[in-house]
Amino acid sequence: MGVILDITERKLTELSLKENAAKLKEIQDMAGLGYWTWDVVTGDVQWSPEVYKIFRLDPENFTPHIDSILELSPWPEEQERDKELIQKAMAQRDKGYYDQRFLRPDGSIGYYHSTFQGEYTEKGELLRISGTVIDITARKQAEEELKQSEERFKALHNASFGGITIHDKGLIIECNQGLADITGYSYGNPPIFRRPEK
């Protein structure tokens, strides 16, 4: 005697879940998106593999804990992040976000953007904070380069002496009013520019 049950639907559901999990992981890898969970009682932190990649740390040699993570930042003002996160999670009860710089093992500085959401007991006590993290180092570097370029541009155009930036083939990229005054051309007049030789 025996009982036979049709488990086709259950197996199809399991297969679908596995496929969705694989797709989610692929999307996270493409986006460089990691996720983390912090137990605010014990201080233990769980990282997804992508977070280790962002911080350039080996999961075999680094155990994420709130204390070990804070030690990655040599800047005292940013080591208060744990207190700030708890305060924000308790005050807002909504998803929050922040940008943070960090020191990589090779001594270079990286930046990441993180979102977070608190999880609470029925009494409203904060249990843990979970969130996502994405590397924004390239964006921060581009913003800094743009800022420096704008500062150089302003300094050049406000200078009382002749200033000029020339392309390596002889094309004038930018100049200031001082140079126009010296050469006699009106500022912005096309004759002050010449095309590079072909």
Side-chain angles (χ1 to χ4, degrees), residues 170-188:
L171 176 67
I172 296 174
I173 298 172
E174 60 184 359
C175 64
N176 67 353
Q177 184 63 50
L179 181 67
D181 293 341
I182 292 170
T183 60
Y185 290 116
S186 298
Y187 178 65

Side-chain angles (χ1 to χ4, degrees), residues 3-121:
V3 177
I4 297 175
L5 295 175
D6 186 347
I7 61 170
T8 305
E9 187 175 337
R10 190 186 80 190
K11 286 295 183 181
L12 289 174
T13 301
E14 289 175 358
L15 182 60
S16 177
L17 288 172
K18 288 180 180 178
E19 289 176 351
N20 288 340
K23 288 177 183 177
L24 178 60
K25 185 180 185 308
E26 184 179 349
I27 291 170
Q28 288 173 336
D29 288 342
M30 285 191 299
L33 180 69
Y35 59 89
W36 53 269
T37 301
W38 169 28
D39 185 323
V40 298
V41 178
T42 65
D44 293 331
V45 178
Q46 299 294 322
W47 279 357
S48 70
E50 194 60 40
V51 180
Y52 286 98
K53 291 179 186 176
I54 291 171
F55 284 93
R56 299 183 182 177
L57 293 170
D58 184 355
E60 297 293 328
N61 300 320
F62 183 81
T63 301
H65 184 276
I66 190 58
D67 294 331
S68 63
I69 294 170
L70 290 175
E71 288 175 3
L72 297 176
S73 173
W75 305 285
E77 67 275 13
E78 294 184 5
Q79 291 181 354
E80 295 295 311
R81 179 183 54 196
D82 58 337
K83 296 176 184 176
E84 293 173 5
L85 274 181
I86 291 175
Q87 290 170 355
K88 286 181 180 178
M90 291 300 294
Q92 296 173 357
R93 295 292 180 102
D94 287 327
K95 183 170 67 175
Y97 61 89
Y98 65 95
D99 291 348
Q100 181 87 356
R101 60 180 170 169
F102 64 96
L103 195 64
R104 294 168 172 156
D106 64 2
S108 63
I109 296 175
Y111 295 86
Y112 66 85
H113 174 79
S114 185
T115 60
F116 66 89
Q117 174 72 61
E119 297 177 38
Y120 309 87
T121 65

Side-chain angles (χ1 to χ4, degrees), residues 153 155-165 174-181 187 192:
F153 182 79
L156 172 66
H157 284 272
N158 293 332
S160 59
F161 57 84
I164 187 171
T165 303
E174 60 184 359
C175 64
N176 67 353
Q177 184 63 50
L179 181 67
D181 293 341
Y187 178 65
I192 204 168

